[in-house]
Amino acid sequence: GIGPSRSIPGGAEQIEFLRADGTVDGTGESLPLHPHNAFLQMFLEMGLVGMFLTAAVLSIVCFRFARLMREGGLLGPGLAFITAALTISSISFGAWQGWWVSAQLLVAALLTGLARARASRQAAL
């Protein structure tokens, strides 16, 4: 869980941070406690098998979510949400940051509720 990036060669090295004029501003770790990339973090924590399982689960969830969005007439917003969530997870945040996961779940729940309401309204017509 904590500190998987230490297993990357050089992950525990200390480096010097330089100011613009070339003087040393301080020292710190070359890599943060966790990589700011959810997929790299999952690979480091769960290995290759865990990554394949994660990819399979994400593929199924995204496919089913997109199908529900299409039925509710919200395919565009649904695909935009999937793309944004995967992109931002790849470049900005760790996999287990509660606020980020909660925000994704909240948006997915809102889109799901809206799509189901629209699909049931269309079926009633």
Side-chain angles (χ1 to χ4, degrees), residues 7-119:
S7 64
I8 297 174
E13 289 181 18
Q14 295 288 316
I15 59 170
E16 292 182 340
F17 297 105
L18 302 177
R19 294 186 182 103
D21 63 3
T23 60
V24 176
D25 189 30
T27 61
E29 300 169 331
S30 62
L31 289 173
L33 187 58
H34 63 85
H36 286 82
N37 178 322
F39 303 104
L40 176 59
Q41 183 178 355
M42 283 187 253
F43 175 73
L44 292 172
E45 291 181 9
M46 299 185 298
L48 195 55
V49 173
M51 250 339 267
F52 281 128
L53 292 173
T54 299
V57 168
L58 273 176
S59 297
I60 291 167
V61 167
C62 288
F63 176 77
R64 292 186 65 171
F65 183 77
R67 188 175 61 196
L68 175 65
M69 293 297 108
R70 186 183 64 222
E71 292 168 3
L74 295 172
L75 185 59
L79 291 178
F81 165 68
I82 291 170
T83 302
L86 292 176
T87 301
I88 293 170
S89 292
S90 296
I91 59 174
S92 293
F93 304 118
W96 315 125
Q97 290 184 315
W99 69 271
W100 174 240
V101 174
S102 297
Q104 291 179 66
L105 292 174
L106 178 62
V107 172
L110 291 171
L111 281 171
T112 298
L114 184 58
R116 286 186 177 164
R118 290 181 68 168

